Amino acid sequence: MSGNAESTAYRSALEVIGAVEPRVATAIRAELADQRESLKLIASENYASPATLLAMGNWFSDKYAEGTVGRRFYAGCQNVDTVEALAAEHARELFGAPYAYVQPHSGIDANLVAFWAVLADRVEAPALKRAQARHVNDLTEADWFALRRELGDQRMLGMSLDAGGHLTHGFRPNISGKMFDQRSYGTDPETGLIDYDRVAEAAREFKPLILVGGYSAYPRKVNFRILREIADSVGATFMVDMAHFAGLVAGKVFTGDFDPVPHAHIVTSTTHKSLRGPRGGLVLCGPELAAQVDRGCPMVLGGPLPQVMAAKAVALAEARRPDFVDYAGRIVANAQALADGLQRRGAKLVTGGTDNHLALIDVTGYGLTGRQAEQALLDSGIVTNRNAIPQDPNGAWYTSGIRVGTPALTTRGFGTAELDATAELIHTVLSRTAPGTNADGTPSKAKYVLDPGVADRVGKQASDLLTGFPLYPAIDLG
Ligand code: PLP
């Protein structure tokens, strides 16, 4: 029985929730238990602090606050103004950015705000100006046709999905691939690294309006100074989506050429990955784009989520503390220990290692698809996600890769020795898994056979590893 403030807060909250819908209270308890018991290597997830989580569970959720600080379309927003201004101030200070917009509900929303801001800034389009004055849901088919005609074939050049880019960087099925005439740059087939000369060549040929830097599954630093020079050479706006590595920028691991903020015209991010905040997004820019970015609502956003902006203010304040620099450094040291441990045991990694928070295992070396590997690891208590690798022979659904990342385990307190032990567990599972067959005897890309006893043994070892590093140690739900 614990008498600390965090335990008291959560016990009381669960009692109140449970009195209305006990199954929700039970699911919330079960989620904590599951998270405590899993060896989480999902590169895009983390564990936000109790202060951040608690800042979201309150009456700020009841407020509408369309508009911007001090200029709302609703009365009574003075307290929302306080938290939005605080979150923006912390973001500006943390990243050294002239302007911060903290309303986007997610990373995708942040990217949409950035795209429309750049279009409005760069393209003479009366229909766009008209559309910006309305909510996106209120636009008619005729508005969209007029917009499409006026915007013509504006071009975007971003990193391809299989090289590690994100859906919103111009992938065809995503709205970004429909809004823009899109082309992508990949990585060198030999090294797996971005070939800046090839990017420059593609930019010269294609002449994009927007050059996008940033990634979801690229295990290396990116030189944003060079990408900015490429953008400038063709008159493109340089946008960086730092959703994955914002924590490494905040924690001063990525500085100089590798810090996107001084080099990009506009930077977007999520707040919940390596940055360790609530689920949400933000946009950073200079004064030239600030007015357009502020039109995120009504252009692509509705009312902001004031409770999440409050939580962003808390998390960004945490990220400004000196211990966050230590945290960010440990994320990378841990990722390198994991990558080295895997390679020493025979695993093949895309680019041969990592210098950020993630590594990409090419599981064809084990004779598996990403899907088979992901499921076999899950059976053994190790949570990862399958991911395409460059020129993936198995496509985006089955894939040939497993992405592993260290922000969450680093938050739990894991160090390099535990990441090396984790590498041993991963290698054991993958080397003891064989591809399965379909009922008609043909090879399956999903079925697999794990040697008997491996899942239980590795699951127990994973659980023993976690015991020394309790998640939310101060929280005792009784
Ligand atoms: N941008 C990048 C680079 C991402 O990796 C992701 C999420 O995976 C996003 C944007 C989208 O973030 P969200 O899921 O918050 O919309």
Side-chain angles (χ1 to χ4, degrees):
M1 176 75 176
S2 165
N4 68 57
E6 290 165 16
S7 293
T8 308
Y10 281 104
R11 283 177 183 215
S12 305
L14 287 169
E15 200 179 310
V16 174
I17 296 164
V20 180
E21 176 44 288
R23 289 169 295 184
V24 171
T26 303
I28 294 172
R29 280 175 176 274
E31 183 58 28
L32 178 59
D34 288 353
Q35 295 213 19
R36 280 179 163 160
E37 282 160 24
S38 65
L39 196 67
K40 177 156 98 172
L41 287 156
I42 306 267
S44 50
E45 292 188 7
N46 211 328
Y47 304 110
S49 72
T52 296
L53 298 178
L54 284 166
M56 277 185 283
N58 57 65
W59 29 92
F60 263 133
S61 170
D62 300 329
K63 278 300 300 168
Y64 248 106
E66 290 190 12
T68 48
V69 174
R71 282 189 86 243
R72 304 284 182 189
F73 291 89
Y74 289 78
C77 293
Q78 59 281 5
N79 301 309
V80 179
D81 280 355
T82 302
V83 293
E84 180 169 350
L86 268 172
E89 180 190 322
H90 284 311
R92 286 194 308 271
E93 293 293 326
L94 178 64
F95 293 111
Y99 189 75
Y101 181 67
V102 295
Q103 292 193 15
H105 309 335
S106 72
I108 283 193
D109 285 355
N111 285 350
L112 282 174
V113 169
F115 297 152
W116 285 110
V118 174
L119 285 169
D121 183 54
R122 300 280 309 272
V123 183
E124 200 41 62
L128 176 59
K129 302 280 179 293
R130 281 200 305 278
Q132 276 192 311
R134 319 234 298 270
H135 190 279
V136 72
N137 292 344
D138 297 331
L139 300 183
T140 62
E141 278 293 293
D143 291 325
W144 282 111
F145 277 124
L147 251 176
R148 189 77 194 102
R149 242 191 344 267
E150 284 184 11
L151 294 178
D153 291 317
Q154 298 304 329
R155 295 173 169 183
M156 171 192 283
L157 178 62
M159 196 171 190
S160 69
L161 198 66
D162 74 346
H166 187 253
L167 294 172
T168 50
H169 302 177
F171 188 53
R172 289 257 177 254
N174 182 263
I175 183 78
S176 57
K178 302 190 197 309
M179 280 167 71
F180 292 94
D181 180 7
Q182 173 277 351
R183 193 178 288 181
S184 47
Y185 57 89
T187 46
D188 181 279
E190 293 299 312
T191 62
L193 300 172
I194 294 174
D195 177 341
Y196 296 97
D197 290 338
R198 298 278 294 275
V199 180
E201 201 181 298
R204 266 196 309 276
E205 271 174 22
F206 190 54
K207 302 224 174 349
L209 180 82
I210 305 181
L211 173 65
V212 183
Y215 53 80
S216 302
Y218 181 70
R220 295 293 178 178
K221 285 178 177 170
V222 174
N223 190 316
F224 297 111
R225 180 185 53 76
I226 298 180
L227 288 182
R228 171 62 186 259
E229 283 167 12
I230 294 171
D232 284 348
S233 72
V234 296
T237 297
F238 181 37
M239 167 179 159
V240 175
D241 176 353
M242 65 170 182
H244 255 264
F245 54 90
L248 304 185
V249 178
K252 313 287 177 242
V253 173
F254 287 172
T255 56
D257 292 353
F258 307 105
D259 174 355
V261 181
H263 300 294
H265 294 101
I266 188 160
V267 175
T268 58
S269 186
T270 55
T271 46
H272 49 273
K273 303 182 200 262
S274 55
L275 196 51
R276 207 164 59 180
R279 298 196 75 83
L282 55 81
V283 181
L284 306 173
C285 63
E288 328 72 59
L289 282 172
Q292 302 296 355
V293 166
D294 266 351
R295 296 202 181 98
C297 166
M299 188 63 201
V300 283
L301 303 175
L305 307 175
Q307 76 281 18
V308 179
M309 294 197 292
K312 285 174 185 170
V314 173
L316 290 163
E318 289 172 343
R320 288 182 66 190
R321 297 196 308 219
D323 60 351
F324 200 86
V325 171
D326 172 59
Y327 168 62
R330 285 187 296 112
I331 290 178
V332 177
N334 282 345
Q336 288 172 341
L338 178 62
D340 290 349
L342 284 163
Q343 291 190 115
R344 248 187 297 113
R345 291 169 175 90
K348 199 167 132 199
L349 299 190
V350 174
T351 79
T354 178
D355 38 38
N356 57 21
H357 62 298
L358 67 88
L360 206 52
I361 311 171
D362 175 349
V363 293
T364 59
Y366 292 100
L368 301 172
T369 64
R371 187 171 157 101
Q372 291 160 333
E374 177 194 79
Q375 291 303 308
L377 288 167
L378 189 64
D379 290 348
S380 314
I382 302 172
V383 188
T384 62
N385 69 282
R386 66 187 185 280
N387 209 104
I389 60 172
Q391 296 93 42
D392 200 310
N394 287 314
W397 177 250
Y398 292 108
T399 82
S400 303
I402 286 287
R403 188 182 66 166
V404 285
T406 52
L409 287 178
T410 305
T411 296
R412 269 185 99 133
F414 268 42
T416 51
E418 289 75 29
L419 267 304
D420 188 60
T422 303
E424 169 67 21
L425 299 183
I426 293 172
H427 175 70
T428 302
V429 174
L430 298 183
S431 52
R432 306 286 297 273
T433 304
T437 46
N438 295 311
D440 61 2
T442 54
S444 166
K445 288 188 175 189
K447 297 197 172 124
Y448 60 95
V449 185
L450 187 51
D451 282 359
V454 173
D456 286 349
R457 202 177 68 244
V458 170
K460 165 83 175 59
Q461 287 168 332
S463 160
D464 288 348
L465 255 183
L466 290 168
T467 314
F469 302 91
L471 176 62
Y472 298 120
I475 298 175
D476 174 6
L477 297 182

